[in-house]
mmCIF file with all atom_site columns, all heavy atoms in Angstrom:
data_model
loop_
_atom_site.group_PDB
_atom_site.id
_atom_site.type_symbol
_atom_site.label_atom_id
_atom_site.label_alt_id
_atom_site.label_comp_id
_atom_site.label_asym_id
_atom_site.label_entity_id
_atom_site.label_seq_id
_atom_site.pdbx_PDB_ins_code
_atom_site.Cartn_x
_atom_site.Cartn_y
_atom_site.Cartn_z
_atom_site.occupancy
_atom_site.B_iso_or_equiv
_atom_site.pdbx_formal_charge
_atom_site.auth_seq_id
_atom_site.auth_comp_id
_atom_site.auth_asym_id
_atom_site.auth_atom_id
_atom_site.pdbx_PDB_model_num
ATOM 1   N N   . MET N 1 1  ? 145.451 25.751 136.859 1.00 43.00 ? 1  MET N N   1
ATOM 2   C CA  . MET N 1 1  ? 144.476 24.798 137.391 1.00 43.00 ? 1  MET N CA  1
ATOM 3   C C   . MET N 1 1  ? 145.098 23.403 137.428 1.00 43.00 ? 1  MET N C   1
ATOM 4   O O   . MET N 1 1  ? 145.704 22.966 136.469 1.00 43.00 ? 1  MET N O   1
ATOM 5   C CB  . MET N 1 1  ? 143.256 24.797 136.458 1.00 43.00 ? 1  MET N CB  1
ATOM 6   C CG  . MET N 1 1  ? 142.066 24.078 137.010 1.00 43.00 ? 1  MET N CG  1
ATOM 7   S SD  . MET N 1 1  ? 140.627 24.431 135.954 1.00 43.00 ? 1  MET N SD  1
ATOM 8   C CE  . MET N 1 1  ? 140.080 22.810 135.567 1.00 43.00 ? 1  MET N CE  1
ATOM 9   N N   . SER N 1 2  ? 144.932 22.723 138.572 1.00 42.00 ? 2  SER N N   1
ATOM 10  C CA  . SER N 1 2  ? 145.516 21.392 138.680 1.00 42.00 ? 2  SER N CA  1
ATOM 11  C C   . SER N 1 2  ? 144.586 20.356 138.048 1.00 42.00 ? 2  SER N C   1
ATOM 12  O O   . SER N 1 2  ? 143.691 20.691 137.301 1.00 42.00 ? 2  SER N O   1
ATOM 13  C CB  . SER N 1 2  ? 145.779 21.078 140.142 1.00 42.00 ? 2  SER N CB  1
ATOM 14  O OG  . SER N 1 2  ? 144.566 21.110 140.845 1.00 42.00 ? 2  SER N OG  1
ATOM 15  N N   . GLN N 1 3  ? 144.796 19.103 138.412 1.00 40.00 ? 3  GLN N N   1
ATOM 16  C CA  . GLN N 1 3  ? 143.995 18.019 137.826 1.00 40.00 ? 3  GLN N CA  1
ATOM 17  C C   . GLN N 1 3  ? 142.504 18.185 138.137 1.00 40.00 ? 3  GLN N C   1
ATOM 18  O O   . GLN N 1 3  ? 142.122 18.686 139.175 1.00 40.00 ? 3  GLN N O   1
ATOM 19  C CB  . GLN N 1 3  ? 144.473 16.687 138.411 1.00 40.00 ? 3  GLN N CB  1
ATOM 20  C CG  . GLN N 1 3  ? 145.832 16.274 137.906 1.00 40.00 ? 3  GLN N CG  1
ATOM 21  C CD  . GLN N 1 3  ? 145.835 16.079 136.402 1.00 40.00 ? 3  GLN N CD  1
ATOM 22  O OE1 . GLN N 1 3  ? 145.024 15.336 135.878 1.00 40.00 ? 3  GLN N OE1 1
ATOM 23  N NE2 . GLN N 1 3  ? 146.725 16.745 135.704 1.00 40.00 ? 3  GLN N NE2 1
ATOM 24  N N   . ILE N 1 4  ? 141.650 17.720 137.196 1.00 39.00 ? 4  ILE N N   1
ATOM 25  C CA  . ILE N 1 4  ? 140.217 17.658 137.457 1.00 39.00 ? 4  ILE N CA  1
ATOM 26  C C   . ILE N 1 4  ? 139.967 16.524 138.455 1.00 39.00 ? 4  ILE N C   1
ATOM 27  O O   . ILE N 1 4  ? 140.471 15.425 138.285 1.00 39.00 ? 4  ILE N O   1
ATOM 28  C CB  . ILE N 1 4  ? 139.459 17.346 136.153 1.00 39.00 ? 4  ILE N CB  1
ATOM 29  C CG1 . ILE N 1 4  ? 139.760 18.384 135.084 1.00 39.00 ? 4  ILE N CG1 1
ATOM 30  C CG2 . ILE N 1 4  ? 137.969 17.210 136.393 1.00 39.00 ? 4  ILE N CG2 1
ATOM 31  C CD1 . ILE N 1 4  ? 139.085 19.703 135.254 1.00 39.00 ? 4  ILE N CD1 1
ATOM 32  N N   . GLU N 1 5  ? 139.216 16.810 139.535 1.00 51.00 ? 5  GLU N N   1
ATOM 33  C CA  . GLU N 1 5  ? 138.969 15.759 140.534 1.00 51.00 ? 5  GLU N CA  1
ATOM 34  C C   . GLU N 1 5  ? 137.608 15.973 141.191 1.00 51.00 ? 5  GLU N C   1
ATOM 35  O O   . GLU N 1 5  ? 137.007 17.028 141.061 1.00 51.00 ? 5  GLU N O   1
ATOM 36  C CB  . GLU N 1 5  ? 140.080 15.741 141.586 1.00 51.00 ? 5  GLU N CB  1
ATOM 37  C CG  . GLU N 1 5  ? 140.273 17.076 142.229 1.00 51.00 ? 5  GLU N CG  1
ATOM 38  C CD  . GLU N 1 5  ? 141.595 17.185 142.975 1.00 51.00 ? 5  GLU N CD  1
ATOM 39  O OE1 . GLU N 1 5  ? 142.392 16.252 142.931 1.00 51.00 ? 5  GLU N OE1 1
ATOM 40  O OE2 . GLU N 1 5  ? 141.788 18.210 143.612 1.00 51.00 ? 5  GLU N OE2 1
ATOM 41  N N   . GLY N 1 6  ? 137.113 14.958 141.911 1.00 78.00 ? 6  GLY N N   1
ATOM 42  C CA  . GLY N 1 6  ? 135.832 15.078 142.627 1.00 78.00 ? 6  GLY N CA  1
ATOM 43  C C   . GLY N 1 6  ? 134.712 15.412 141.668 1.00 78.00 ? 6  GLY N C   1
ATOM 44  O O   . GLY N 1 6  ? 134.048 16.430 141.826 1.00 78.00 ? 6  GLY N O   1
ATOM 45  N N   . LYS N 1 7  ? 134.426 14.541 140.714 1.00 93.00 ? 7  LYS N N   1
ATOM 46  C CA  . LYS N 1 7  ? 133.583 14.914 139.563 1.00 93.00 ? 7  LYS N CA  1
ATOM 47  C C   . LYS N 1 7  ? 132.093 14.743 139.821 1.00 93.00 ? 7  LYS N C   1
ATOM 48  O O   . LYS N 1 7  ? 131.417 14.037 139.084 1.00 93.00 ? 7  LYS N O   1
ATOM 49  C CB  . LYS N 1 7  ? 134.028 14.108 138.346 1.00 93.00 ? 7  LYS N CB  1
ATOM 50  C CG  . LYS N 1 7  ? 135.495 14.343 138.026 1.00 93.00 ? 7  LYS N CG  1
ATOM 51  C CD  . LYS N 1 7  ? 135.840 13.940 136.628 1.00 93.00 ? 7  LYS N CD  1
ATOM 52  C CE  . LYS N 1 7  ? 137.249 14.394 136.311 1.00 93.00 ? 7  LYS N CE  1
ATOM 53  N NZ  . LYS N 1 7  ? 137.579 14.386 134.943 1.00 93.00 ? 7  LYS N NZ  1
ATOM 54  N N   . GLN N 1 10 ? 129.752 15.625 136.906 1.00 97.00 ? 10 GLN N N   1
ATOM 55  C CA  . GLN N 1 10 ? 129.907 14.868 135.655 1.00 97.00 ? 10 GLN N CA  1
ATOM 56  C C   . GLN N 1 10 ? 128.554 14.730 134.957 1.00 97.00 ? 10 GLN N C   1
ATOM 57  O O   . GLN N 1 10 ? 127.552 14.411 135.599 1.00 97.00 ? 10 GLN N O   1
ATOM 58  C CB  . GLN N 1 10 ? 130.454 13.468 135.969 1.00 97.00 ? 10 GLN N CB  1
ATOM 59  C CG  . GLN N 1 10 ? 130.918 12.684 134.753 1.00 97.00 ? 10 GLN N CG  1
ATOM 60  C CD  . GLN N 1 10 ? 132.272 13.171 134.259 1.00 97.00 ? 10 GLN N CD  1
ATOM 61  O OE1 . GLN N 1 10 ? 133.197 13.268 135.047 1.00 97.00 ? 10 GLN N OE1 1
ATOM 62  N NE2 . GLN N 1 10 ? 132.367 13.477 132.991 1.00 97.00 ? 10 GLN N NE2 1
ATOM 63  N N   . ALA N 1 28 ? 133.674 28.996 136.897 1.00 98.00 ? 28 ALA N N   1
ATOM 64  C CA  . ALA N 1 28 ? 133.825 28.160 135.686 1.00 98.00 ? 28 ALA N CA  1
ATOM 65  C C   . ALA N 1 28 ? 134.905 27.092 135.904 1.00 98.00 ? 28 ALA N C   1
ATOM 66  O O   . ALA N 1 28 ? 134.709 25.910 135.596 1.00 98.00 ? 28 ALA N O   1
ATOM 67  C CB  . ALA N 1 28 ? 134.168 29.030 134.480 1.00 98.00 ? 28 ALA N CB  1
ATOM 68  N N   . LEU N 1 29 ? 136.052 27.509 136.450 1.00 98.00 ? 29 LEU N N   1
ATOM 69  C CA  . LEU N 1 29 ? 137.150 26.561 136.693 1.00 98.00 ? 29 LEU N CA  1
ATOM 70  C C   . LEU N 1 29 ? 136.730 25.508 137.725 1.00 98.00 ? 29 LEU N C   1
ATOM 71  O O   . LEU N 1 29 ? 137.017 24.308 137.557 1.00 98.00 ? 29 LEU N O   1
ATOM 72  C CB  . LEU N 1 29 ? 138.405 27.303 137.188 1.00 98.00 ? 29 LEU N CB  1
ATOM 73  C CG  . LEU N 1 29 ? 139.001 28.361 136.242 1.00 98.00 ? 29 LEU N CG  1
ATOM 74  C CD1 . LEU N 1 29 ? 140.231 28.986 136.871 1.00 98.00 ? 29 LEU N CD1 1
ATOM 75  C CD2 . LEU N 1 29 ? 139.345 27.783 134.889 1.00 98.00 ? 29 LEU N CD2 1
ATOM 76  N N   . ALA N 1 30 ? 136.025 25.935 138.758 1.00 98.00 ? 30 ALA N N   1
ATOM 77  C CA  . ALA N 1 30 ? 135.610 24.993 139.820 1.00 98.00 ? 30 ALA N CA  1
ATOM 78  C C   . ALA N 1 30 ? 134.587 23.990 139.286 1.00 98.00 ? 30 ALA N C   1
ATOM 79  O O   . ALA N 1 30 ? 134.658 22.799 139.593 1.00 98.00 ? 30 ALA N O   1
ATOM 80  C CB  . ALA N 1 30 ? 135.034 25.772 141.004 1.00 98.00 ? 30 ALA N CB  1
ATOM 81  N N   . TYR N 1 31 ? 133.637 24.457 138.502 1.00 98.00 ? 31 TYR N N   1
ATOM 82  C CA  . TYR N 1 31 ? 132.617 23.550 137.957 1.00 98.00 ? 31 TYR N CA  1
ATOM 83  C C   . TYR N 1 31 ? 133.257 22.542 136.996 1.00 98.00 ? 31 TYR N C   1
ATOM 84  O O   . TYR N 1 31 ? 132.877 21.379 136.969 1.00 98.00 ? 31 TYR N O   1
ATOM 85  C CB  . TYR N 1 31 ? 131.517 24.339 137.239 1.00 98.00 ? 31 TYR N CB  1
ATOM 86  C CG  . TYR N 1 31 ? 130.489 24.964 138.159 1.00 98.00 ? 31 TYR N CG  1
ATOM 87  C CD1 . TYR N 1 31 ? 130.675 24.992 139.549 1.00 98.00 ? 31 TYR N CD1 1
ATOM 88  C CD2 . TYR N 1 31 ? 129.319 25.528 137.659 1.00 98.00 ? 31 TYR N CD2 1
ATOM 89  C CE1 . TYR N 1 31 ? 129.736 25.571 140.392 1.00 98.00 ? 31 TYR N CE1 1
ATOM 90  C CE2 . TYR N 1 31 ? 128.358 26.104 138.492 1.00 98.00 ? 31 TYR N CE2 1
ATOM 91  C CZ  . TYR N 1 31 ? 128.577 26.127 139.857 1.00 98.00 ? 31 TYR N CZ  1
ATOM 92  O OH  . TYR N 1 31 ? 127.643 26.693 140.690 1.00 98.00 ? 31 TYR N OH  1
ATOM 93  N N   . ALA N 1 32 ? 134.210 23.010 136.223 1.00 98.00 ? 32 ALA N N   1
ATOM 94  C CA  . ALA N 1 32 ? 134.890 22.089 135.300 1.00 98.00 ? 32 ALA N CA  1
ATOM 95  C C   . ALA N 1 32 ? 135.676 21.044 136.078 1.00 98.00 ? 32 ALA N C   1
ATOM 96  O O   . ALA N 1 32 ? 135.671 19.863 135.723 1.00 98.00 ? 32 ALA N O   1
ATOM 97  C CB  . ALA N 1 32 ? 135.818 22.875 134.374 1.00 98.00 ? 32 ALA N CB  1
ATOM 98  N N   . ARG N 1 33 ? 136.329 21.472 137.153 1.00 97.00 ? 33 ARG N N   1
ATOM 99  C CA  . ARG N 1 33 ? 137.067 20.517 138.005 1.00 97.00 ? 33 ARG N CA  1
ATOM 100 C C   . ARG N 1 33 ? 136.125 19.467 138.570 1.00 97.00 ? 33 ARG N C   1
ATOM 101 O O   . ARG N 1 33 ? 136.504 18.321 138.780 1.00 97.00 ? 33 ARG N O   1
ATOM 102 C CB  . ARG N 1 33 ? 137.744 21.248 139.179 1.00 97.00 ? 33 ARG N CB  1
ATOM 103 C CG  . ARG N 1 33 ? 139.188 21.636 138.898 1.00 97.00 ? 33 ARG N CG  1
ATOM 104 C CD  . ARG N 1 33 ? 139.929 21.944 140.205 1.00 97.00 ? 33 ARG N CD  1
ATOM 105 N NE  . ARG N 1 33 ? 139.337 23.062 140.916 1.00 97.00 ? 33 ARG N NE  1
ATOM 106 C CZ  . ARG N 1 33 ? 139.655 24.339 140.703 1.00 97.00 ? 33 ARG N CZ  1
ATOM 107 N NH1 . ARG N 1 33 ? 140.576 24.640 139.814 1.00 97.00 ? 33 ARG N NH1 1
ATOM 108 N NH2 . ARG N 1 33 ? 139.068 25.301 141.375 1.00 97.00 ? 33 ARG N NH2 1
ATOM 109 N N   . ALA N 1 34 ? 134.871 19.887 138.819 1.00 97.00 ? 34 ALA N N   1
ATOM 110 C CA  . ALA N 1 34 ? 133.878 18.950 139.367 1.00 97.00 ? 34 ALA N CA  1
ATOM 111 C C   . ALA N 1 34 ? 133.221 18.118 138.270 1.00 97.00 ? 34 ALA N C   1
ATOM 112 O O   . ALA N 1 34 ? 132.301 17.351 138.546 1.00 97.00 ? 34 ALA N O   1
ATOM 113 C CB  . ALA N 1 34 ? 132.829 19.717 140.159 1.00 97.00 ? 34 ALA N CB  1
ATOM 114 N N   . GLY N 1 35 ? 133.664 18.280 137.022 1.00 97.00 ? 35 GLY N N   1
ATOM 115 C CA  . GLY N 1 35 ? 133.219 17.398 135.943 1.00 97.00 ? 35 GLY N CA  1
ATOM 116 C C   . GLY N 1 35 ? 132.218 17.992 134.971 1.00 97.00 ? 35 GLY N C   1
ATOM 117 O O   . GLY N 1 35 ? 131.852 17.340 133.979 1.00 97.00 ? 35 GLY N O   1
ATOM 118 N N   . ALA N 1 36 ? 131.732 19.220 135.224 1.00 98.00 ? 36 ALA N N   1
ATOM 119 C CA  . ALA N 1 36 ? 130.751 19.817 134.308 1.00 98.00 ? 36 ALA N CA  1
ATOM 120 C C   . ALA N 1 36 ? 131.419 20.232 132.998 1.00 98.00 ? 36 ALA N C   1
ATOM 121 O O   . ALA N 1 36 ? 132.599 20.597 132.983 1.00 98.00 ? 36 ALA N O   1
ATOM 122 C CB  . ALA N 1 36 ? 130.108 21.046 134.962 1.00 98.00 ? 36 ALA N CB  1
ATOM 123 N N   . LEU N 1 54 ? 142.168 27.218 129.999 1.00 98.00 ? 54 LEU N N   1
ATOM 124 C CA  . LEU N 1 54 ? 142.621 26.695 131.305 1.00 98.00 ? 54 LEU N CA  1
ATOM 125 C C   . LEU N 1 54 ? 141.890 25.397 131.636 1.00 98.00 ? 54 LEU N C   1
ATOM 126 O O   . LEU N 1 54 ? 142.484 24.440 132.129 1.00 98.00 ? 54 LEU N O   1
ATOM 127 C CB  . LEU N 1 54 ? 142.350 27.728 132.409 1.00 98.00 ? 54 LEU N CB  1
ATOM 128 C CG  . LEU N 1 54 ? 143.318 28.901 132.514 1.00 98.00 ? 54 LEU N CG  1
ATOM 129 C CD1 . LEU N 1 54 ? 142.781 29.934 133.507 1.00 98.00 ? 54 LEU N CD1 1
ATOM 130 C CD2 . LEU N 1 54 ? 144.698 28.414 132.953 1.00 98.00 ? 54 LEU N CD2 1
ATOM 131 N N   . ILE N 1 55 ? 140.604 25.385 131.373 1.00 98.00 ? 55 ILE N N   1
ATOM 132 C CA  . ILE N 1 55 ? 139.792 24.181 131.648 1.00 98.00 ? 55 ILE N CA  1
ATOM 133 C C   . ILE N 1 55 ? 140.251 23.023 130.761 1.00 98.00 ? 55 ILE N C   1
ATOM 134 O O   . ILE N 1 55 ? 140.479 21.901 131.239 1.00 98.00 ? 55 ILE N O   1
ATOM 135 C CB  . ILE N 1 55 ? 138.290 24.496 131.443 1.00 98.00 ? 55 ILE N CB  1
ATOM 136 C CG1 . ILE N 1 55 ? 137.806 25.462 132.523 1.00 98.00 ? 55 ILE N CG1 1
ATOM 137 C CG2 . ILE N 1 55 ? 137.459 23.199 131.430 1.00 98.00 ? 55 ILE N CG2 1
ATOM 138 C CD1 . ILE N 1 55 ? 136.408 26.025 132.290 1.00 98.00 ? 55 ILE N CD1 1
ATOM 139 N N   . GLN N 1 56 ? 140.406 23.318 129.472 1.00 98.00 ? 56 GLN N N   1
ATOM 140 C CA  . GLN N 1 56 ? 140.798 22.255 128.532 1.00 98.00 ? 56 GLN N CA  1
ATOM 141 C C   . GLN N 1 56 ? 142.185 21.715 128.876 1.00 98.00 ? 56 GLN N C   1
ATOM 142 O O   . GLN N 1 56 ? 142.431 20.506 128.804 1.00 98.00 ? 56 GLN N O   1
ATOM 143 C CB  . GLN N 1 56 ? 140.763 22.796 127.099 1.00 98.00 ? 56 GLN N CB  1
ATOM 144 C CG  . GLN N 1 56 ? 139.340 23.047 126.603 1.00 98.00 ? 56 GLN N CG  1
ATOM 145 C CD  . GLN N 1 56 ? 139.278 24.047 125.453 1.00 98.00 ? 56 GLN N CD  1
ATOM 146 O OE1 . GLN N 1 56 ? 140.313 24.581 125.032 1.00 98.00 ? 56 GLN N OE1 1
ATOM 147 N NE2 . GLN N 1 56 ? 138.082 24.311 124.944 1.00 98.00 ? 56 GLN N NE2 1
ATOM 148 N N   . ALA N 1 57 ? 143.087 22.620 129.260 1.00 98.00 ? 57 ALA N N   1
ATOM 149 C CA  . ALA N 1 57 ? 144.459 22.197 129.582 1.00 98.00 ? 57 ALA N CA  1
ATOM 150 C C   . ALA N 1 57 ? 144.480 21.239 130.766 1.00 98.00 ? 57 ALA N C   1
ATOM 151 O O   . ALA N 1 57 ? 145.377 20.406 130.881 1.00 98.00 ? 57 ALA N O   1
ATOM 152 C CB  . ALA N 1 57 ? 145.323 23.420 129.881 1.00 98.00 ? 57 ALA N CB  1
ATOM 153 N N   . ALA N 1 58 ? 143.490 21.368 131.659 1.00 97.00 ? 58 ALA N N   1
ATOM 154 C CA  . ALA N 1 58 ? 143.422 20.481 132.830 1.00 97.00 ? 58 ALA N CA  1
ATOM 155 C C   . ALA N 1 58 ? 142.581 19.242 132.550 1.00 97.00 ? 58 ALA N C   1
ATOM 156 O O   . ALA N 1 58 ? 142.278 18.480 133.468 1.00 97.00 ? 58 ALA N O   1
ATOM 157 C CB  . ALA N 1 58 ? 142.848 21.239 134.021 1.00 97.00 ? 58 ALA N CB  1
ATOM 158 N N   . GLY N 1 59 ? 142.170 19.060 131.293 1.00 97.00 ? 59 GLY N N   1
ATOM 159 C CA  . GLY N 1 59 ? 141.413 17.861 130.925 1.00 97.00 ? 59 GLY N CA  1
ATOM 160 C C   . GLY N 1 59 ? 139.908 18.035 131.004 1.00 97.00 ? 59 GLY N C   1
ATOM 161 O O   . GLY N 1 59 ? 139.158 17.069 130.859 1.00 97.00 ? 59 GLY N O   1
ATOM 162 N N   . GLY N 1 60 ? 139.442 19.267 131.226 1.00 98.00 ? 60 GLY N N   1
ATOM 163 C CA  . GLY N 1 60 ? 138.000 19.514 131.308 1.00 98.00 ? 60 GLY N CA  1
ATOM 164 C C   . GLY N 1 60 ? 137.405 19.855 129.952 1.00 98.00 ? 60 GLY N C   1
ATOM 165 O O   . GLY N 1 60 ? 138.119 19.968 128.950 1.00 98.00 ? 60 GLY N O   1
ATOM 166 N N   . ARG N 1 61 ? 136.084 20.013 129.934 1.00 98.00 ? 61 ARG N N   1
ATOM 167 C CA  . ARG N 1 61 ? 135.368 20.333 128.692 1.00 98.00 ? 61 ARG N CA  1
ATOM 168 C C   . ARG N 1 61 ? 134.818 21.746 128.785 1.00 98.00 ? 61 ARG N C   1
ATOM 169 O O   . ARG N 1 61 ? 134.096 22.085 129.738 1.00 98.00 ? 61 ARG N O   1
ATOM 170 C CB  . ARG N 1 61 ? 134.211 19.352 128.474 1.00 98.00 ? 61 ARG N CB  1
ATOM 171 C CG  . ARG N 1 61 ? 134.657 17.902 128.374 1.00 98.00 ? 61 ARG N CG  1
ATOM 172 C CD  . ARG N 1 61 ? 133.449 16.985 128.364 1.00 98.00 ? 61 ARG N CD  1
ATOM 173 N NE  . ARG N 1 61 ? 132.728 17.055 127.105 1.00 98.00 ? 61 ARG N NE  1
ATOM 174 C CZ  . ARG N 1 61 ? 131.425 16.777 126.967 1.00 98.00 ? 61 ARG N CZ  1
ATOM 175 N NH1 . ARG N 1 61 ? 130.701 16.452 128.008 1.00 98.00 ? 61 ARG N NH1 1
ATOM 176 N NH2 . ARG N 1 61 ? 130.855 16.847 125.786 1.00 98.00 ? 61 ARG N NH2 1
#
Side-chain angles (χ1 to χ4, degrees):
M1 191 169 126
S2 61
Q3 289 299 306
I4 303 284
E5 55 196 4
K7 302 199 171 195
Q10 191 77 51
L29 300 180
Y31 281 10
R33 266 198 298 273
L54 282 171
I55 292 170
Q56 289 158 359
R61 300 172 72 206

